[in-house]
Every structure is written in structure tokens, then in C-alpha cells.
Amino acid sequence: EDQVTQSPEALRLQEGESSSLNCSYTVSGLRGLFWYRQDPGKGPEFLFTLYSAGEEKEKERLKATLTKKESFLHITAPKPEDSATYLCAVQASGVTGANNLFFGTGTRLTVIP
Amino acid sequence: SQTIHQWPATLVQPVGSPLSLECTVEGTSNPNLYWYRQAAGRGLQLLFYSVGIGQISSEVPQNLSASRPQDRQFILSSKKLLLSDSGFYLCAWSKQTNQPQHFGDGTRLSIL
């Protein structure tokens, strides 16, 4: 069964304290993995797409990496404005149509000044 | 650049009343369009998607329906709302199925 698991569910960091969020997946062939940021009461904001193992993408303090079984979102020297829920979504190649995108339940990140 | 608009932002409706949520996309043509529901502590649940005008695929059996009367307009409807329809509804678009989806700011629907 295709599924996506994110850990931890919640993470509290001091400002400047680097850490990583995990997204592990089991799908019948990976077409792409997407990271989103979601602020309370808002829709998810697209951050990165990763397509193959070994690929990395960076944006400001965020860096996403991908292996054959999981992806990490590394946050370097976070600031309070990085506080949000980070969602991971995986697109499976074994399922046709738009129903081949599976979302995790997210990691709620809080950065304390 | 492309933008997506959803309204209203919040809505409080009595049980048994009808529903109409609207979503429009600007700056692109023939997008794929999606309706999701997000419940607290659960992943986004795909409700409907559309690859073109009048083409709607339903993912979850329910008392909701969707329509796409124009290329960049997507509407979520119900004839009679249930308490279980409460939630956060998100509209999204993508250029193609295998490309990132971009979300609107959602509608918080409360059923009383």
C-alpha cells in the first residue's frame, strides 16, 4: 500500500539550532516528491520537487534531499519566521490520474527566539 | 505569474443547507484543478480533480459534487450539508498531473 510518513509530528527548536525533518515513503515507483510549507489557516506553499535519489534542492535556510526510501528537509540556523507545518507529498508512478499523490500529515515546526 | 483565488475564507452553515465554494485560477490556461479536504492531524484528502472543462473525477463517495463550467473555474457544491462536512477545503491547480500543485488559501467550513 502506498503511504507517506513524516516525523517527528512536532519539533521545537531554539533560534539558530539546526535540525532535520523526515519523510519516509513506500510507493509503487516514485515519480516525484514534493515539500510544502503551510502556515496556520493558509493553503500549502510549494517549496521543492525532487525526482531521483541523490537529488538536492536548496532555498535560503532549507535544503531537501532524497534517497530511495526517504527525504529529509534540513533547516540550517532557523529563525522564528520558519515556524510552520511542513508537508511532504509523494507521487507514485504505479497509479494513473491525479489520485497518485499521497500526502503525509506534516511536521509542525516551532522556532523559539 | 499564476494566482489562485478561493472564497469565502470562512463559512458557517446550518445542517441541511446548500453549499457553493468557488475557485478561480489566473495566468494559465487548461490547468488541472483539484479540491481537497484537510482534517486536523490527517493528510490532505483528494475529493475531486478535473483535467478539462466538464471533466470531473471523484475520489471519495460523499454528498459533495464538483463542476468546472469554465477553463479556470472550479466549484464545490452540496445540496444538503452534513455535520461531517465540516473542515478546511483547499483548491489547487497544476500544469500537468506530474507537476507540483499550487494551493489557494482555503475555506474553513463549519456546520452547525
Side-chain angles (χ1 to χ4, degrees), chain A residues 13-30:
Chain A
L13 299 173
Q14 292 289 330
E15 184 172 1
E17 178 188 3
S18 302
S19 188
S20 297
L21 314 182
N22 178 265
C23 171
S24 62
Y25 59 90
T26 53
V27 294
S28 52
L30 178 71

Side-chain angles (χ1 to χ4, degrees), chain A:
Chain A
E1 180 183 337
D2 298 326
Q3 63 179 15
V4 179
T5 304
Q6 290 188 248
S7 61
E9 288 186 14
L11 181 63
R12 290 172 64 90
L13 299 173
Q14 292 289 330
E15 184 172 1
E17 178 188 3
S18 302
S19 188
S20 297
L21 314 182
N22 178 265
C23 171
S24 62
Y25 59 90
T26 53
V27 294
S28 52
L30 178 71
R31 292 187 69 180
L33 185 142
F34 307 92
W35 280 100
Y36 289 86
R37 169 194 170 123
Q38 186 173 23
D39 292 306
K42 298 291 186 181
E45 175 189 351
F46 169 70
L47 294 174
F48 305 111
T49 305
L50 301 167
Y51 290 109
S52 57
E55 190 175 358
E56 299 182 351
K57 294 278 181 69
E58 284 189 71
K59 180 180 180 180
E60 297 181 353
R61 294 176 293 282
L62 300 177
K63 179 180 177 179
T65 61
L66 180 65
T67 72
K68 289 185 178 179
K69 294 184 178 180
E70 57 191 349
S71 176
F72 291 95
L73 185 65
H74 307 277
I75 302 178
T76 302
K79 299 181 177 182
E81 53 261 43
D82 295 322
S83 297
T85 295
Y86 290 86
L87 298 173
C88 168
V90 172
Q91 192 159 48
S93 61
V95 181
T96 58
N99 60 345
N100 65 352
L101 190 63
F102 300 92
F103 279 87
T105 54
T107 294
R108 188 173 67 254
L109 174 66
T110 304
V111 182
I112 304 164

Side-chain angles (χ1 to χ4, degrees), chain A residues 31 34 36 38 41-44 46 49 51 87 91 96-101 103-105, chain B residues 34 36 38 41-44 46 49 59 88 90 97-106:
Chain A
R31 292 187 69 180
F34 307 92
Y36 289 86
Q38 186 173 23
K42 298 291 186 181
F46 169 70
T49 305
Y51 290 109
L87 298 173
Q91 192 159 48
T96 58
N99 60 345
N100 65 352
L101 190 63
F103 279 87
T105 54
Chain B
Y34 312 84
Y36 286 89
Q38 186 176 34
R42 304 176 71 175
L44 274 71
L46 180 64
Y49 70 95
E59 293 299 309
F88 191 49
L90 289 159
T97 303
N98 63 346
Q99 294 192 353
Q101 295 179 19
H102 302 274
F103 290 82
D105 277 340

